[in-house]
Amino acid sequence: MWLQRVLTGNYAARPLNRDFPVSMKDKNKLLRKLPKIDECLARLEEHINQHDVPQLIAKKAVQQSVEQLRNALLNDDPVDVPDTLAGWDDIFKKRIEQLMALNLKRVINGTGIVVHTNLGRSLLPVHTIKQLSMAGACYTNLEFNLKTGKRGSRYSLVEDIICDLTGAEAALVVNNNAAAVLIALDTLARDKEVIVSRGQLVEIGGSFRIPDVMKKSGATLVEVGATNRTHLYDYEGAISECTALFLRVHTSNFRIIGFTSQVTAEELVGLGAKYDLPVMEDLGSGSLTDLSKFGLPPEPTVQEVVKSGADVITFSGDKLLGGPQSGIIVGKEKIITRIKKNPLNRALRIDKFTLASLESVLRDYYDQEAVLTKNQTLRMISESPEIIKKRAQRFLRRSRAKIAEKCSLKLVSTISRVGGGALPEYGLTSWAVELQPAATTVSRLESDFRTLSVPVIGRIENDRLLIDFRTVLDSEIPELCSELITYFE
Ligand SMILES: *Cc1c(COP(=O)(O)O)cnc(C)c1O
């Protein structure tokens, strides 16, 4: 079966012993050598075992292969055209393999960024994956009340758990935290004004900007204070008959340092009580554990913000929480009930896979000790440098002798990041293997690693490629070794 492995190499990159650019006459000769699509398809049918290759893929492979070579010729790129139809077999096979391979692939995360948005943020523990496959393979009581035999609510599966863990009166889960902010603002402040501190108008990667979300929700932003300092009297002075809400936003991915001052949740809640205005907090990462136990700088926990009396709080399910992509909204029952009834809720609702995995991940938090090892995100963040170093050493023991001639490998101390906008200025002490290839450039190595059958994503620092072992799993070491050994062979 030649369809099993994924090869992403580019056949057109074969070096040739011909001088370029070729003359117009030669070029036309080469262009005439390109085969007809129908001939190629007939050849595929006859000579290549293509049981599992759908006709559409075969045709696309042939067209793309011929097209790529034609373009290369027209651009005077150094490529050769096979002399016979049989000479195209390997080209077609490779192209078919590429087209048949799934687009979503696993990668090895050697960046050291734990909550890496581009690499899928949080990893789920094995017992959660089981629940996830159950939800895919079987019918479930997603919206079916097993006691009454009547229609149930999908949110009831997690709402009580979220309330237990956060101390909130009520909860709701939507597609992500951006959606949570949107639906909360739309419900509470459409056509009204929302007062926000100027120092909290954040942009999160992936084009989430508080002022833009605000506009979309139909609410009007009223900025108060200065970038570095906002006082309670700034909020109070901005209140008008159109004011609907005070909003605090956790400045996830940046810090203003120096002469600064922000109003606390408690103070704002006090002001809200005086004027009968609700207070909302977009917490961003939303941790359910106190990170200072790992020696990390304290981030406000969801529990603390609930305790402060805020009326509605939103946070991500797949940042520090370590669950699936989702946006969790907790708060006062009266307000959550209004949000639940917003028609946007139907549009932003989570699917059964999110619910299945979120419930499982949340249940782990009932045991605040065990969750530190069960939850993959918390485990990676809290893992000690000594253990990471041992993992890196295990990789070196297995691979160094076989790679050393082509690439120098060095164990180095490095700094990993939590990612996902959490604790932006805080580095976690970690260990990495530093690679310096003998015959190629570091940037070439970095891009080649991305095309391995299990792509390895590293980080370039000071003209060296680093693989940070904080985010490499124990179980990935054998594969990482074999991928790199094969690459350097
Ligand atoms: C990350 C973040 C968001 C967006 O959350 P998603 O779950 O990525 O949609 C919104 N607000 C803050 C403060 C954040 O940190």
Side-chain angles (χ1 to χ4, degrees):
M1 273 291 283
W2 47 264
L3 275 176
Q4 279 179 344
R5 283 186 69 87
V6 186
L7 293 169
T8 47
N10 184 350
Y11 69 85
R14 273 182 305 170
L16 283 181
N17 302 324
R18 209 171 47 211
D19 290 331
F20 278 86
V22 286
S23 72
M24 212 48 210
K25 202 167 133 235
D26 286 347
K27 196 146 99 180
N28 283 335
K29 216 166 98 195
L30 285 170
L31 284 168
R32 273 197 301 276
K33 254 170 74 182
L34 293 173
K36 299 220 161 48
I37 304 296
D38 286 346
E39 284 169 14
C40 299
L41 283 173
R43 160 101 202 158
L44 269 182
E45 196 112 316
E46 224 177 295
H47 294 275
I48 302 179
N49 171 15
Q50 49 162 344
H51 282 316
D52 299 332
V53 183
Q55 200 53 37
L56 200 71
I57 298 279
K59 193 164 176 193
K60 201 166 156 186
V62 166
Q63 282 169 337
Q64 285 184 356
S65 306
V66 176
E67 195 57 30
Q68 185 174 349
L69 220 59
R70 174 178 293 117
N71 286 339
L73 287 172
L74 293 174
N75 286 335
D76 291 335
D77 290 342
V79 286
D80 208 356
V81 180
D83 291 318
T84 63
L85 210 46
W88 284 81
D89 286 356
D90 282 345
I91 297 175
F92 293 152
K93 279 183 189 177
K94 261 189 197 139
R95 181 66 68 159
I96 289 170
E97 281 176 11
Q98 285 172 16
L99 292 173
M100 297 278 281
L102 291 174
N103 290 331
L104 185 71
K105 309 176 208 286
R106 57 167 294 209
V107 304
I108 293 179
N109 177 5
T111 64
I113 299 167
V114 178
V115 183
H116 196 308
T117 299
N118 303 146
L119 303 184
R121 289 199 182 159
S122 290
L123 304 188
L124 303 171
V126 176
H127 58 277
T128 300
I129 308 287
K130 274 197 191 139
Q131 184 70 352
L132 206 46
S133 17
M134 181 284 288
C138 313
Y139 289 110
T140 57
N141 61 337
L142 181 67
E143 278 187 2
F144 184 75
N145 186 323
L146 289 170
K147 278 202 197 102
T148 62
K150 302 223 167 70
R151 187 192 168 135
S153 141
R154 64 177 65 207
Y155 301 107
S156 65
L157 300 171
V158 289
E159 182 166 5
D160 285 352
I161 304 174
I162 297 171
C163 292
D164 283 351
L165 296 172
T166 60
E169 289 174 15
L172 172 67
V173 186
V174 289
N175 185 56
N176 55 18
N177 188 34
V181 174
L182 176 70
I183 193 174
L185 289 175
D186 184 271
T187 310
L188 303 173
R190 166 163 288 276
D191 301 326
K192 303 237 179 69
E193 291 176 358
V194 178
I195 303 178
V196 191
S197 160
R198 196 161 269 132
Q200 297 177 354
L201 297 175
V202 295
E203 171 178 317
I204 311 294
S207 70
F208 174 92
R209 272 184 180 177
I210 285 293
D212 296 345
V213 176
M214 191 85 76
K215 204 183 269 168
K216 205 74 208 162
S217 73
T220 305
L221 172 72
V222 178
E223 296 174 37
V224 294
T227 307
N228 57 331
R229 285 169 77 84
T230 303
H231 306 278
L232 200 59
Y233 56 73
D234 292 321
Y235 286 91
E236 190 159 17
I239 297 173
S240 77
E241 67 229 36
C242 298
T243 307
L245 183 72
F246 293 127
L247 172 65
R248 267 171 51 91
V249 183
H250 186 55
T251 55
S252 300
N253 52 5
F254 75 101
R255 287 282 179 273
I256 298 174
I257 54 168
F259 186 56
T260 65
S261 160
Q262 289 294 335
V263 170
T264 66
E266 282 89 351
E267 289 169 324
L268 211 50
V269 167
L271 190 67
K274 191 167 152 196
Y275 290 91
D276 197 21
L277 287 169
V279 175
M280 167 169 161
E281 174 129 359
D282 172 13
L283 246 189
S285 282
S287 180
L288 290 177
T289 40
D290 176 11
L291 295 175
S292 61
K293 350 185 229 223
F294 312 140
L296 286 141
E299 279 267 298
T301 62
V302 181
Q303 296 91 309
E304 279 165 18
V305 183
V306 168
K307 222 178 242 164
S308 76
D311 297 273
V312 52
I313 302 153
T314 71
F315 55 99
S316 281
D318 57 351
K319 289 185 180 171
L320 286 175
L321 189 75
Q325 179 191 306
S326 49
I328 302 177
I329 311 175
V330 299
K332 301 278 164 64
E333 180 146 26
K334 230 171 69 194
I335 285 184
I336 299 294
T337 305
R338 280 175 63 197
I339 299 176
K340 281 178 182 164
K341 288 189 186 138
N342 188 326
L344 267 181
N345 188 23
R346 175 61 180 78
L348 302 175
R349 85 172 181 195
I350 48 170
D351 70 352
K352 59 182 177 179
F353 299 110
T354 304
L355 263 170
S357 47
L358 185 63
E359 183 192 0
S360 167
V361 166
L362 285 169
R363 278 186 184 279
D364 289 340
Y365 278 92
Y366 277 114
D367 184 339
Q368 286 269 322
E369 270 309 305
V371 73
L372 302 185
T373 45
K374 276 187 180 170
N375 187 291
Q376 295 299 295
T377 299
L378 295 181
R379 184 189 59 70
M380 280 191 209
I381 291 173
S382 61
E383 193 161 62
S384 78
E386 292 74 46
I387 295 183
I388 298 168
K389 187 177 186 181
K390 287 212 175 95
R391 196 180 304 128
Q393 284 168 328
R394 201 142 44 81
F395 163 76
L396 284 175
R397 271 199 306 279
R398 280 169 171 244
S399 61
R400 185 177 249 154
K402 299 190 179 104
I403 294 178
E405 213 176 286
K406 305 266 177 66
C407 179
S408 85
L409 300 174
K410 200 165 123 201
L411 184 65
V412 294
S413 163
T414 188
I415 300 292
S416 0
R417 302 270 160 198
V418 173
L423 307 172
E425 84 282 37
Y426 190 77
L428 305 158
T429 306
S430 185
W431 288 88
V433 170
E434 187 185 273
L435 296 98
Q436 202 191 5
T440 182
T441 63
V442 165
S443 72
R444 180 65 201 257
L445 194 67
E446 187 271 341
S447 65
D448 281 355
F449 278 11
R450 282 188 271 114
T451 67
L452 297 173
S453 60
V454 179
V456 176
I457 317 296
R459 179 175 97 218
I460 294 180
E461 236 175 65
N462 303 325
D463 202 34
R464 303 274 194 279
L465 183 65
L466 295 189
I467 298 176
D468 185 329
F469 279 76
R470 179 177 295 276
T471 45
V472 176
L473 305 175
D474 271 335
S475 58
E476 288 175 330
I477 298 287
E479 250 166 333
L480 180 62
C481 290
S482 70
E483 286 289 341
L484 298 203
I485 290 168
T486 312
Y487 173 78
F488 284 112
E489 252 166 15

